[in-house]
Amino acid sequence: MTADTNPLHQLAWLAARSSGLVAWALAGLATVLGLAMAARRADRGPAVRDLHRHLTLAALIALVCHGLAIAADPWVRGGVVGVVVPFTIGYRPPAVAVGILGGWLLAAFAGSWYLRSRIGARSWRRLHRFAPLVFVAATVHALTAGSDAGTWWMTVAAFALCGAATVLVALRWLAAPPRAVPPPAPPRRPVPPAPEPEPASASLWAHR
């Protein structure tokens, strides 16, 4: 039985394709929402922050399913090592390596949320500015290793998500930060005029 007619290969490949596309789309939506909050183009309340975190976690779950499907594919023969260590798989090694790197970055940024209190909010925000690299790596992987690259719907989706992310990055990094308005100075109290000195003659007559 060849790889083209092997039901296990077909099932694993369909599972890998669908889970990979879902992971890519969820990572793109999480990136766009995070950039919109950073650029103050979206509400930054608890509900929106929770949505951003849930999109990231859902993307991570879909990514795990994608890796398991690739590891179980009898034609790719990636195995567990092939989907977690770059350049150890025979199928398009550079393209797959970019995807593996993006997956590790996604796991790191998703886990950093639960370490925010330990590393400090300021350090966490500085590191989180590089979170869009996850979507960059995922897009490169999808367009170079995915079997759906080149289809019209994949092209439209890539242009839409990448275009929105690029605009929001420009708004986030190029916009001038708001200047702090100094508080108004307290009103100055009027200084009373100094008393004029009495003439010497008047002082002498006052003691007689």
Side-chain angles (χ1 to χ4, degrees), residues 24-53:
W24 173 77
L26 290 173
L29 292 176
T31 301
V32 170
L33 182 57
L35 290 172
M37 288 191 294
R40 301 186 183 276
R41 294 301 189 274
D43 184 26
R44 305 174 72 178
V48 180
R49 291 199 303 268
D50 288 342
L51 176 60
H52 173 64
R53 186 169 71 254

Side-chain angles (χ1 to χ4, degrees), residues 125-189:
R125 283 193 297 267
R126 290 178 178 176
L127 293 175
H128 212 69
R129 291 181 178 180
F130 299 96
L133 292 177
V134 174
F135 182 56
V136 173
T139 302
V140 172
H141 171 73
L143 296 179
T144 56
S147 57
D148 295 303
T151 58
W152 68 268
W153 55 267
M154 183 67 181
T155 303
V156 171
F159 268 104
L161 289 175
C162 293
T166 302
V167 171
L168 290 170
V169 166
L171 293 175
R172 173 66 179 86
W173 290 93
L174 300 181
R179 296 181 178 179
V181 179
R188 299 179 62 181
R189 296 182 180 180

